[in-house]
Amino acid sequence: MEPKEILNISVDCVVFGYDINTKLLNVLLIKRFLESKDTNEILVDDYVLTGFHVYENETLDESASRVLKELTGLTNIYQKQFKAFGRPDRLLNEKDLIWIKDRKFSSRTITIAYYFLLKTDSVDIKNNKYQAKWFPVEELPELGFDHKEIILEAHEDLKTKCLSEPIIFELLPDKFTINDVQDLYISILGIEIDNRNFRRKLINKKYIIPLDEKQVGVSKKPAQLYMFSKDVYEKMFEKNYLISI
């Protein structure tokens, strides 16, 4: 038996990914395309977040995890529920009404928004059936529904959260340099960070473990590599992570 959908409750997923090469925080979007069956006129051509209705037999967290897995094939990814969006007019612009009419969808849908953190290279974009594509958070394309608002709200929540918990390491490789961490903070927060002060504070954190390894394949002097120890962090019960960066 097919699971029954709750047609006016959905989850929308903001999938953040960091590209360590371009030093950009990105969001994963899917193509929304519709053309007239009669005239072949393009009616809708933009991008949206991935999302779907909640099933009656699952929790909201399970819904979000299911939607993410369908898009990326990934499980056990950091996720946070950050806000509900339920304005009466959130799905009522012209293109959205055309799209809704073509789908089994209620124009009065309340969505519960989540964001996920992962590495951009962990998603197979080339073979993605949803035509998913990474876009820099600062260079979003034309978006459907109220998804630009949802992305911006997710970004603001991420800015706050990354100053109190070490969630940024979900976006980095297992082995990284101090500059990698600094570049990621700059990308998320959109501010300049004093290099020496940041480096000193980060190295002094007991859960940032120096490795007996250096970068390879770089043109400049290879930098020291480090790793983040979640076990050490949790044992320390630290509550004020990098607030003064």
Side-chain angles (χ1 to χ4, degrees), residues 15-19 25-29 72 116 118-125 131-136:
V15 183
F16 287 120
Y18 181 65
D19 188 327
L25 179 69
N26 299 281
V27 63
L28 190 62
L29 301 173
T72 67
F116 294 79
L118 47 82
K119 293 86 172 168
T120 54
D121 59 7
S122 63
V123 181
D124 183 3
I125 295 295
Q131 296 181 269
K133 185 176 179 180
W134 290 108
F135 290 90

Side-chain angles (χ1 to χ4, degrees), residues 56-188:
E56 283 189 342
N57 64 344
E58 65 185 358
T59 66
L60 293 172
D61 285 358
E62 289 169 345
S63 294
S65 296
R66 167 176 55 83
V67 170
L68 179 82
K69 184 178 180 181
E70 289 176 0
L71 176 66
T72 67
L74 302 174
T75 58
N76 299 317
I77 300 298
Y78 175 91
Q79 71 180 59
K80 185 195 173 189
Q81 180 192 126
F82 68 96
K83 191 172 180 179
F85 293 80
R87 270 198 342 263
D89 64 344
R90 61 177 295 263
L91 308 180
L92 297 183
N93 72 50
E94 183 179 356
K95 286 185 179 180
D96 296 338
L97 289 173
I98 293 172
W99 183 262
I100 289 169
K101 185 178 179 180
D102 190 69
R103 301 289 193 276
K104 185 172 67 173
F105 208 89
S106 170
S107 62
R108 185 66 174 100
T109 297
I110 295 169
T111 195
I112 314 301
Y114 286 76
Y115 63 81
F116 294 79
L117 304 179
L118 47 82
K119 293 86 172 168
T120 54
D121 59 7
S122 63
V123 181
D124 183 3
I125 295 295
K126 290 183 179 179
N127 298 308
N128 189 276
K129 66 179 181 180
Y130 297 101
Q131 296 181 269
K133 185 176 179 180
W134 290 108
F135 290 90
V137 171
E138 302 297 334
E139 300 175 20
L140 297 173
E142 181 181 353
L143 292 164
F145 306 123
D146 57 350
H147 288 184
K148 182 175 182 179
E149 177 186 353
I150 293 175
I151 292 169
L152 295 179
E153 294 253 15
H155 189 196
E156 288 302 313
D157 193 276
L158 175 60
K159 288 179 183 179
T160 301
K161 194 77 170 176
C162 77
L163 295 175
S164 61
E165 296 181 21
I167 61 173
I168 64 152
F169 297 104
E170 305 287 346
L171 294 161
L172 287 171
D174 293 336
K175 301 175 184 179
F176 51 81
T177 68
I178 298 299
N179 282 344
D180 289 336
V181 182
Q182 182 173 337
D183 289 337
L184 176 50
Y185 269 110
I186 291 171
S187 178
I188 293 173

